[in-house]
Amino acid sequence: MNINNIIVFIISIALVVITGCEPPGPKNWYIDLDSDGFGNTLIRISAIEKPNGYVLDNTDCNDDDPDNFPGNTERWDGKDNDCDELTDEGTQAPPFPGGLIDADIDGIPDMYEQPGAVLQGMPLYEWGARPNQRDVFIQIDYMDSTNGGSLPLDEGALPNEAALQKVAAAFAAEGTVVHFDVGDLFDQSADDSINPDRFDLGGGSEVPYLPTMGYSGQDGDVRDYRDNYLAPARRNIFYYMLFATAHNPSVYGIAQLSAYTSIVFMANRKLNTSTPAKTNELVNLQAVTVMHEFGHNLGLGHGGASSTGYNNKPNYVSSMNYLYAVYGIPAIGPGNDEGDRYYLFRNYDGDYPLCAQNYPYNTSSVSHSRYSDTLIIDFSHGTNSDLDESFLIDADGLGTANGVAVDWDCDPSTTTLVNGDVNLDDGMISTYSDYDDWANLHFGFGENYALRSALFDTLIIEPEPTIIYDDWTILLNE
């Protein structure tokens, strides 16, 4: 025993003799990366003395942002400032610059959504914009998958009209009108006129081929395409989406979080329209990928809130959730097996061999599969009850109002209580909450007024946003 250990031992004995109390034991300390006094529950050490950069608290919902911590004042900024899994609740959007009225908070002053009005050369009313209706414009460019005729045409790399209609319908059901612009891809009339019904607003176009595409490094940079092909006048109104060649075999999309740019990678996936089933697969995979990546632009993460929430939560029934991304959303209610996506994911994951034995689902046998014309895409309304992995009740299923049982351990009894990690990606026993996606979407052009001038003379200068890479390899195994 060295001299330091002897001294500590003597002091400890003395404390017991003098006070009758044991010396203090080690405590759990949690890292505080953003120095806001609230720690990250996932990174901890045990020590008697406080380590530098660590705190006793473990309730921070986003340890990368000092503006997010429990008890903070909520502000209109697209963040969950007070860590209650809601964003901007109880706050209001700031007024539009210059006193202009934007009653629907879509970033377009109402006066420019009237018949005959033109905003910097853009006849938004003719394109479908209306006052008292949230209008969202997205320009989609698409790479020449043939590389000037040297490669065969890849149908997956071309935006599909039915896929975009499917996304537009999902938003329309919630009161938001999405105006896609792919130029003349679908409407090839000789007079080169616009046709909003066929997503032709005169802007989207075919762009040059690159074998890879991303945001930085050796890949091509999507921001170069955006800067070259998105007209300056459009940059205060339009989101930008690029259908590109493959980034790598596993990445199906890349998006800026709470910003304006995204990439969809549908090339080199063997997608085609050779049969009705293959056509449905192409339409559905494009639709869910566009919905998912645009969801990131609108501030959603894989668990709902961008800064909190786990991926693959079975009770978070949303196209943002990998569990329901390329598989689609299950049919809910009596007569349906709303756990079929969970069993399918378990089969591919391999942790529960009983799932493959008792619930042998594959991508074509689940209800409303991607090979059907009824695959469901949607965001969540946050109405499902919590799912506690330490006390799972099969009969409660996904926590839906009129749902059916889900056999969490695939035993195949659906009456027992089980304890297990059902979201498959963190190895911990946790409680998972649903999230109201639709109530927490943040349409940046309608909210980030501080970045824009009253007369739209100043282009948006984006801060460097978080970039999300969507790796769906395991989801697409056959």
Side-chain angles (χ1 to χ4, degrees):
M1 181 179 292
N2 64 36
I3 186 64
N4 290 330
N5 288 337
I6 293 173
I7 292 173
V8 171
F9 177 75
I10 293 173
I11 292 174
S12 299
I13 294 297
L15 284 171
V16 173
V17 172
I18 295 171
T19 66
C21 300
E22 293 287 341
K27 301 175 182 178
N28 288 328
W29 300 88
Y30 300 87
I31 196 166
D32 182 16
L33 297 173
D34 55 13
S35 301
D36 60 4
F38 295 83
N40 184 335
T41 187
L42 299 179
I43 303 176
R44 71 183 182 188
I45 61 176
S46 181
I48 294 175
E49 298 295 330
K50 178 182 181 297
N52 288 335
Y54 285 73
V55 294
L56 288 172
D57 181 273
N58 67 347
T59 60
D60 203 341
C61 61
N62 184 359
D63 206 28
D64 294 321
D65 190 338
D67 284 335
N68 293 31
F69 58 84
N72 192 18
T73 300
E74 192 70 24
R75 299 188 301 279
W76 185 276
D77 59 0
K79 300 179 181 180
D80 179 15
N81 303 110
D82 57 4
C83 287
D84 64 352
E85 294 199 354
L86 299 174
T87 53
D88 298 347
E89 73 279 5
T91 64
Q92 291 184 339
F96 206 96
L100 300 178
I101 303 301
D102 180 23
D104 49 21
I105 317 177
D106 59 4
I108 306 171
D110 295 349
M111 64 182 293
Y112 292 110
E113 297 176 308
Q114 304 290 341
V118 175
L119 173 60
Q120 288 192 336
M122 296 181 290
L124 300 180
Y125 184 89
E126 292 183 21
W127 292 352
R130 298 291 185 271
N132 302 314
Q133 162 188 295
R134 172 166 274 163
D135 294 289
V136 178
F137 289 88
I138 307 174
Q139 177 171 314
I140 299 181
D141 289 337
Y142 46 96
M143 284 190 176
D144 171 17
S145 65
T146 72
N147 191 19
S150 63
L151 298 171
L153 175 68
D154 190 325
E155 290 186 80
L158 281 174
N160 180 277
E161 189 170 11
L164 300 185
Q165 289 171 339
K166 197 176 185 82
V167 176
F171 277 89
E174 300 295 326
T176 295
V177 180
V178 176
H179 308 273
F180 290 110
D181 183 8
V182 297
D184 294 330
L185 178 61
F186 309 137
D187 174 39
Q188 299 182 359
S189 55
D191 60 2
D192 200 33
S193 59
I194 66 167
N195 186 344
D197 291 338
R198 302 207 67 188
F199 306 128
D200 179 6
L201 306 180
S205 64
E206 183 179 80
V207 295
Y209 171 90
L210 276 181
T212 59
M213 173 57 59
Y215 272 89
S216 61
Q218 63 183 8
D219 298 324
D221 194 319
V222 67
R223 290 167 294 189
D224 293 335
Y225 277 78
R226 180 191 62 193
D227 293 345
N228 288 333
Y229 297 102
L230 184 64
R234 288 182 162 222
R235 296 177 195 173
N236 283 309
I237 299 294
F238 279 79
Y239 291 86
Y240 185 75
M241 180 176 288
L242 177 66
F243 270 58
T245 46
H247 175 273
N248 67 48
S250 63
V251 175
Y252 281 71
I254 304 176
Q256 293 177 321
L257 181 64
S258 299
Y260 310 100
T261 307
S262 60
I263 317 173
V264 170
F265 298 109
M266 289 286 103
N268 304 313
R269 311 291 181 196
K270 298 180 180 180
L271 297 175
N272 58 68
T273 56
S274 59
T275 67
K278 291 296 291 182
T279 298
N280 290 334
E281 181 187 33
L282 185 154
V283 168
N284 290 327
L285 283 182
Q286 281 199 9
V288 74
T289 306
V290 169
M291 184 93 168
H292 185 101
E293 301 309 325
F294 189 49
H296 287 318
N297 285 165
L298 300 179
L300 297 178
H302 296 138
S306 62
S307 58
T308 61
Y310 296 94
N311 201 354
N312 304 318
K313 299 182 298 185
N315 58 332
Y316 173 52
V317 184
S318 169
S319 295
M320 297 307 299
N321 185 351
Y322 277 15
L323 184 58
Y324 304 119
V326 295
Y327 297 155
I329 288 173
I332 302 297
N336 296 297
D337 189 353
E338 59 193 55
D340 55 2
R341 271 69 175 170
Y342 169 76
Y343 304 137
L344 174 59
F345 205 7
R346 277 294 191 194
N347 293 345
Y348 289 149
D349 179 68
D351 283 349
Y352 280 22
L354 282 176
C355 288
Q357 176 181 326
N358 296 315
Y359 303 96
Y361 283 106
N362 57 46
T363 54
S364 60
S365 64
V366 294
S367 64
H368 305 284
S369 80
R370 71 173 185 253
Y371 303 104
S372 75
D373 61 3
T374 60
L375 180 129
I376 303 168
I377 63 172
D378 202 356
F379 293 147
S380 176
H381 286 93
T383 57
N384 293 345
S385 59
D386 287 354
L387 188 64
D388 183 354
E389 288 183 319
S390 69
F391 196 69
L392 292 167
I393 303 174
D394 290 352
D396 289 349
L398 303 181
T400 58
N402 297 303
V404 297
V406 174
D407 184 8
W408 297 114
D409 58 2
C410 303
D411 58 2
S413 167
T414 57
T415 59
T416 58
L417 306 180
V418 296
N419 182 321
D421 176 24
V422 297
N423 80 314
L424 310 180
D425 73 346
D426 66 351
M428 298 189 301
I429 303 301
S430 307
T431 297
Y432 302 119
S433 298
D434 195 1
Y435 186 77
D436 192 345
D437 293 337
W438 288 111
N440 289 284
L441 298 181
H442 289 273
F443 298 88
F445 293 115
E447 297 167 359
N448 293 338
Y449 294 142
L451 297 177
R452 311 163 71 200
S453 74
L455 299 177
F456 298 86
D457 289 331
T458 302
L459 300 182
I460 289 176
I461 301 173
E462 296 180 21
E464 279 301 313
T466 300
I467 307 300
I468 297 180
Y469 292 77
D470 285 310
D471 183 340
W472 292 351
T473 307
I474 188 174
L475 308 181
L476 291 154
N477 290 337
E478 294 295 344

